[in-house]
């Protein structure tokens, strides 16, 4: 592991048992434009996260985002209830105050789409440094060799073992979820960096869990208040092991509030995305009988997944960087492109213990 890139756990990665390889590409000279960000197969293990104090940078943001919306920049709402698109602002040029304003905007709007960015070309150290302003960096394989804080999303017809496999046994590729909700301190602000994108397709759908909560009646809000969902990543880790893929940590199983509060906005969040459907880590409502839990979670996921008026679609161009708040939104990739390479890296900062 390069000395300048230190993992955020207490693990001594150099002492971890590893079996490192690179994605095997077959034939042709039109290889990946960013080979340094190809996924590695590294069977390194890390100790479980220790809980630490977290101060959301959005709590320091300004209401008018004066440090983010700099002179000459342009921004517009993607939909009335979720998403903001920004042009004329380089993430790499933002001050700490500008990053605080970005955190608050992402908390308020859920998703912020930056266009025409140089972020993909500034190097790993600067990329991680920028994201680290938002919190301790999460680790999830596959990642580029020696860079565990950077997750790779890669699909290429020429790859023997493309990440995010296309062997889906369902009609639709849509799988709504929030990332790694079984953690004690779940990921919050996430940077999703486009390295290579298809000419069309390969978009990401987002849904606002904040706006979903607002749609509920006052009486039903009171019914849900105080309930907890058990989040469990055991099946994900077991699946990875069955495919010979890395499993970074031991399985986690925790109870988190069904209605979560955002520390920067004070707003309530319906935190049940993908719950009970086998496609997410939230499994069942604590203290409910199975039928009671299943029917409640089915209703809540219908609200989240079928309400087009609280959803948006993020499209990608060369130089696009999407920043989203993993606490406030759910997402799903759309695997509708064929043949073309889709190569992204994501960097996620861990946030507070949900309350």
């Amino acid at each position: 592991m390069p000395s300048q890139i230190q993992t955020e756990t207490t693990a001594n990665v150099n002492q971890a048992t590893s079996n490192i390889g690179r994605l095997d590409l077959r034939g042709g000279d039109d290889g990946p434009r960013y080979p340094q960000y190809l996924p590695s197969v590294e069977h390194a293990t890390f100790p479980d996260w220790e809980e630490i104090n977290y101060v959301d940078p959005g709590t320091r943001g300004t209401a008018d985002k004066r440090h983010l919306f700099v002179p000459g920049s342009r921004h517009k709402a993607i939909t009335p209830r979720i998403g903001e698109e920004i042009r004329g602002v380089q993430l790499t040029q933002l001050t700490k105050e500008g990053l605080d304003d970005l955190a608050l905007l992402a908390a308020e709007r859920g998703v912020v789409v930056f266009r025409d960015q140089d972020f993909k070309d500034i190097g790993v150290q600067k990329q991680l440094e920028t994201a680290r302003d938002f919190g301790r960096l999460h680790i999830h394989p596959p990642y580029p060799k020696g860079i565990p804080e950077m997750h790779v999303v890669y699909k290429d017809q020429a790859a023997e073992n493309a990440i995010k496999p296309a062997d889906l046994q369902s009609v639709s590729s849509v799988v709504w979820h929030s990332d790694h909700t079984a953690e004690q301190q779940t990921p919050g602000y996430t940077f999703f960096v486009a390295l290579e994108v298809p000419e069309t397709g390969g978009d990401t759908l987002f849904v606002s869990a904040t706006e979903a909560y607002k749609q509920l009646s006052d009486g039903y809000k009171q019914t849900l208040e105080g309930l907890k969902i058990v989040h469990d990543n055991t099946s994900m880790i077991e699946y990875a092991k069955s495919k010979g893929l890395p499993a970074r940590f031991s399985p986690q199983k925790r109870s988190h509030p069904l209605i979560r509060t955002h520390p920067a906005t004070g707003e309530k969040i319906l935190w049940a995305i993908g719950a009970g459907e086998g496609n997410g880590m939230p499994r069942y409502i604590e203290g409910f009988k199975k039928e009671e839990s299943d029917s409640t979670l089915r209703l809540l996921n219908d609200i989240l997944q079928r309400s087009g008026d609280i959803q948006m679609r993020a499209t990608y161009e060369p130089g696009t960087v999407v920043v989203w708040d993993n606490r406030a939104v759910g997402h799903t990739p759309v695997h509708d492109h064929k043949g073309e390479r889709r190569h992204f890296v994501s960097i996620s900062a861990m946030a507070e213990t949900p309350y």
Side-chain angles (χ1 to χ4, degrees):
M1 182 181 203
S3 60
Q4 72 269 25
I5 303 171
Q6 298 297 323
T7 181
E8 306 256 343
T9 72
T10 56
N12 184 342
V13 179
N14 292 326
Q15 294 178 357
T17 301
S18 301
N19 177 20
I20 301 173
R22 280 296 180 91
L23 202 69
D24 184 17
L25 300 177
R26 300 194 302 270
D29 297 325
D30 186 21
R33 297 176 188 172
Y34 291 84
Q36 68 271 36
Y37 294 107
L38 283 176
S40 63
V41 180
E42 183 173 336
H43 291 273
T45 58
F46 301 88
D48 294 337
W49 299 104
E50 295 181 2
E51 188 173 5
I52 62 173
N53 183 53
Y54 178 76
V55 177
D56 194 304
T59 61
R60 301 187 293 267
T62 62
D64 61 1
K65 316 300 184 297
R66 69 192 68 142
H67 306 293
L68 175 62
F69 298 147
V70 296
S73 65
R74 307 185 307 279
H75 64 97
K76 65 177 182 179
I78 296 175
T79 79
R81 294 178 175 175
I82 177 175
E84 196 88 2
E85 183 181 76
I86 299 179
R87 294 183 184 269
V89 174
Q90 284 294 333
L91 281 165
T92 55
Q93 301 301 314
L94 288 176
T95 62
K96 285 190 176 295
E97 292 79 11
L99 294 174
D100 291 344
D101 280 357
L102 169 57
L104 181 56
L105 182 64
E108 293 172 343
R109 300 292 296 160
V111 183
V112 183
V113 179
F114 287 89
R115 302 296 189 188
D116 307 315
Q117 297 294 298
D118 60 6
F119 195 84
K120 67 183 185 305
D121 298 310
I122 62 174
V124 169
Q125 189 64 31
K126 180 64 175 176
Q127 291 162 341
L128 296 181
E129 179 185 329
T130 301
R132 197 172 279 119
D133 258 43
F134 295 78
R136 175 175 55 175
L137 299 186
H138 192 255
I139 294 174
H140 178 59
Y143 45 76
K145 183 177 179 181
I147 315 172
E149 300 91 347
M150 185 175 287
H151 175 63
V152 180
V153 177
Y154 187 91
K155 188 175 182 182
D156 186 340
Q157 195 175 40
E160 288 187 354
N161 55 336
I163 304 305
K164 307 297 182 187
D167 57 345
L168 297 168
Q169 299 301 310
S170 60
V171 173
S172 172
S173 64
V174 170
V175 181
W176 286 103
H177 64 285
S178 291
D179 290 332
H180 308 293
T181 61
E183 304 283 10
Q184 178 71 19
Q185 292 181 268
T186 63
Y189 301 106
T190 294
F191 286 69
F192 197 55
V193 185
L195 302 176
E196 289 188 72
V197 298
E199 184 174 347
T200 184
D203 301 337
T204 307
L205 305 180
F206 291 92
V207 61
S208 172
T210 306
E211 292 295 327
Y213 176 79
K214 294 178 182 178
Q215 306 308 306
L216 304 178
S217 68
D218 290 342
Y220 198 55
K221 290 175 183 176
Q222 293 176 9
T223 300
L224 300 178
E225 194 69 44
L227 297 179
K228 291 189 174 183
I229 294 186
V230 174
H231 296 246
D232 188 350
N233 66 6
T234 302
S235 61
M236 181 185 73
I237 291 175
E238 290 178 347
Y239 176 81
K241 289 180 178 179
S242 72
K243 297 293 185 180
L245 299 172
R248 54 181 176 77
F249 294 112
S250 59
Q252 304 293 317
K253 185 176 182 180
R254 290 190 174 85
S255 295
H256 290 314
L258 172 57
I259 305 301
R260 180 176 184 166
T261 303
H262 199 291
T265 65
E267 292 194 293
K268 298 295 184 70
I269 300 166
L270 179 57
W271 215 46
I273 303 159
E277 298 191 349
N279 58 15
M281 294 181 190
R283 300 299 183 192
Y284 56 88
I285 298 176
E286 192 173 64
F288 274 31
K289 292 184 177 180
K290 183 179 187 304
E291 294 86 351
E292 297 167 342
S293 176
D294 289 350
S295 63
T296 303
L297 295 179
R298 190 177 303 113
L299 170 61
L300 297 180
N301 274 279
D302 275 350
I303 294 170
L304 288 159
Q305 298 179 17
R306 298 175 65 180
S307 297
D309 49 349
I310 60 172
Q311 296 177 5
M312 61 158 281
R313 190 181 192 106
T315 61
Y316 299 103
E317 306 167 358
T320 294
V321 177
V322 175
V323 180
W324 74 76
D325 190 333
N326 188 63
R327 299 161 293 183
V329 300
H331 66 278
T332 176
V334 181
H335 295 289
D336 58 352
H337 60 291
K338 295 182 179 180
E340 296 176 90
R341 185 175 297 117
R342 185 179 187 270
H343 191 184
F344 288 74
V345 291
S346 70
I347 313 171
S348 295
M350 300 171 72
E352 76 284 351
T353 297
Y355 65 93

